[in-house]
Amino acid sequence: EAQVTQNPRYLITVTGKKLTVTCSQNMNHEYMSWYRQDPGLGLRQIYYSMNVEVTDKGDVPEGYKVSRKEKRNFPLILESPSPNQTSLYFCATRTGGYEQYFGPGTRLTVT
Amino acid sequence: AQSVTQLGSHVSVSEGALVLLRCNYSSSVPPYLFWYVQYPNQGLQLLLKYTSAATLVKGINGFEAEFKKSETSSHLTKPSAHMSDAAEYFCAVTPSPGGYNKLIFGAGTRLAVHP
């Protein structure tokens, strides 16, 4: 089954404690992306990757890092999380027809 | 910059009634326009995709969307609402020109279906 998986699904952490949210896809898509979803704002892109070792900033990259060492994985790293990064995070891949397919989401709370 | 506005953050319909959700976008012709649905505690599921080849596009779950280029808007409709249609619906476009590396989302419309 074609899917995008994210782990963990839920995470509560404290300010400043580094964390990583993993994303993996089994569709062999070159493009992967991270979004955050906040009430009343829809989804906003954090970073995207066109292929292995190729990443670029989206609209809200501050406070986040990414890496793309393998085609199937695209982890999101928060090196020093802050409460304003409390959000629902989605990883996505994209087909050649530009449809984006989303993972189930990771709900992050930073206290 | 491209922007997307969804009219009505909350819409409520009766079961069996017409569902009509509206989306306005700022560019005259976005390269691609998508409607997504998000059920509670789930990710986004693609309902349909518009690529300017037609003005009426059929999607999954009985939804279809009409595109009005002159008004830079899209209407998502379903003739008869089911209780299972209760969810949040998002309109998204690719930025133009040539901006295929991200989607610009509207803020979403939460659809409630009551008996």
Side-chain angles (χ1 to χ4, degrees):
Chain A
E1 177 189 356
Q3 59 182 355
V4 180
T5 58
Q6 295 179 227
N7 282 292
R9 295 288 315 278
Y10 302 90
L11 179 60
I12 300 174
T13 190
V14 296
T15 299
K17 185 177 182 180
K18 181 179 179 179
L19 66 92
T20 299
V21 183
T22 65
C23 173
S24 182
Q25 53 108 352
N26 63 1
M27 292 172 276
N28 203 36
H29 289 163
E30 294 182 344
Y31 173 99
M32 297 184 73
S33 183
W34 278 101
Y35 291 82
R36 60 178 289 172
Q37 182 182 11
D38 300 291
L41 297 178
L43 279 76
R44 294 174 293 166
Q45 189 184 55
I46 302 170
Y47 270 95
Y48 67 94
S49 170
M50 296 298 292
N51 213 327
V52 175
E53 302 293 0
V54 180
T55 64
D56 207 349
K57 297 177 181 179
D59 293 323
V60 289
E62 294 78 19
Y64 304 95
K65 286 178 58 176
V66 293
S67 69
R68 186 91 181 273
K69 299 188 185 307
E70 306 169 275
K71 196 173 187 178
R72 63 181 290 121
N73 295 323
F74 190 42
L76 179 69
I77 304 158
L78 286 71
E79 294 208 327
S80 184
S82 62
N84 65 12
Q85 293 178 297
T86 292
S87 188
L88 181 58
Y89 291 87
F90 289 101
C91 180
T93 69
R94 190 188 72 190
T95 70
Y98 302 105
E99 299 93 348
Q100 295 205 19
Y101 291 92
F102 290 81
T106 295
R107 187 168 295 279
L108 172 65
T109 302
V110 184
T111 62
Chain B
Q2 180 73 269
S3 65
V4 177
T5 303
Q6 292 186 240
L7 305 182
S9 58
H10 291 81
V11 170
S12 182
V13 301
S14 299
E15 192 173 19
L18 171 72
V19 176
L20 172 60
L21 305 179
R22 297 182 175 91
C23 170
N24 291 340
Y25 46 88
S26 59
S27 172
S28 59
V29 183
Y32 297 95
L33 186 149
F34 304 89
W35 280 97
Y36 285 89
V37 59
Q38 184 180 29
Y39 298 104
N41 298 316
Q42 295 187 25
L44 280 73
Q45 180 180 3
L46 181 65
L47 275 177
L48 57 83
K49 165 188 168 184
Y50 164 72
T51 61
S52 78
T55 57
L56 186 66
V57 176
K58 292 188 182 298
I60 64 170
N61 300 343
F63 284 90
E64 62 183 30
E66 181 182 8
F67 300 87
K68 302 186 176 184
K69 294 181 183 179
S70 61
E71 299 174 7
T72 62
S73 68
S74 171
H75 294 173
L76 180 71
T77 62
K78 183 173 181 178
S80 177
H82 296 162
M83 298 295 290
S84 60
D85 294 325
E88 189 156 23
Y89 293 80
F90 292 94
C91 175
V93 303
T94 52
S96 58
Y100 300 110
N101 292 327
K102 68 178 178 183
L103 292 177
I104 306 295
F105 281 83
T109 295
R110 188 170 297 278
L111 176 68
V113 181
H114 52 85

